[in-house]
Amino acid sequence: MRSQHLIGGLAAAVLLAGGVAQAQDLYVGTVALEKGAVVLTRCDLVQNRYVLRDRKGERAQPVAGLRQRLKTLKAPVYVEVIGDYAEQGEDHVLDVIGLENLKAGKSCHLSDALGGR
């Protein structure tokens, strides 16, 4: 009888875990088109780079919309990306949930502020 309760409790925990949302993070940087891909260069000392892609199964397609807008926006283009980190081969990838504070002609990179670019 006790093992049935334990199994029932474990089954309930598994079902509840399936509904828990994944953790997301905020990535701040500039974006540009590179070989058809939207690439974020993060505003950190290392300037980490991430390929942006729309999350599978989502109706919203923020990266597809951004890809089109980048063709006409004045570089650099600042953006705050809300997303989940993933790896695709050797590339660092962000599955994008949303884009915030998109601003053309703005940079957050120290090298741009110092005139090094």
Side-chain angles (χ1 to χ4, degrees), residues 13-29:
V14 168
L15 289 174
L16 289 174
V20 175
Q22 284 187 311
Q24 301 131 23
D25 205 352
L26 179 67
Y27 299 82
V28 176

Side-chain angles (χ1 to χ4, degrees), residues 30-109:
T30 56
V31 286
L33 283 175
E34 295 181 15
K35 298 179 184 175
V38 179
V39 177
L40 173 80
T41 302
R42 199 164 184 185
C43 288
D44 56 19
L45 291 176
V46 182
Q47 294 189 351
N48 290 303
R49 296 165 50 82
Y50 303 87
V51 174
L52 303 184
R53 65 184 183 192
D54 290 312
R55 281 186 9 166
K56 291 180 183 168
E58 295 287 328
R59 291 182 84 182
Q61 300 272 309
V63 178
L66 178 60
R67 182 178 293 110
Q68 292 305 311
R69 290 186 67 195
L70 283 173
K71 295 174 182 176
T72 61
L73 293 174
K74 179 183 180 254
V77 178
Y78 171 89
V79 69
E80 297 167 4
V81 178
I82 302 164
D84 298 318
Y85 175 80
E87 289 183 7
Q88 182 176 315
E90 293 186 20
D91 292 329
H92 300 286
V93 176
L94 296 178
D95 290 324
V96 176
I97 297 164
L99 302 170
E100 301 288 331
N101 299 316
L102 181 74
K103 293 186 177 102
K106 178 182 176 185
S107 178
C108 54
H109 297 287

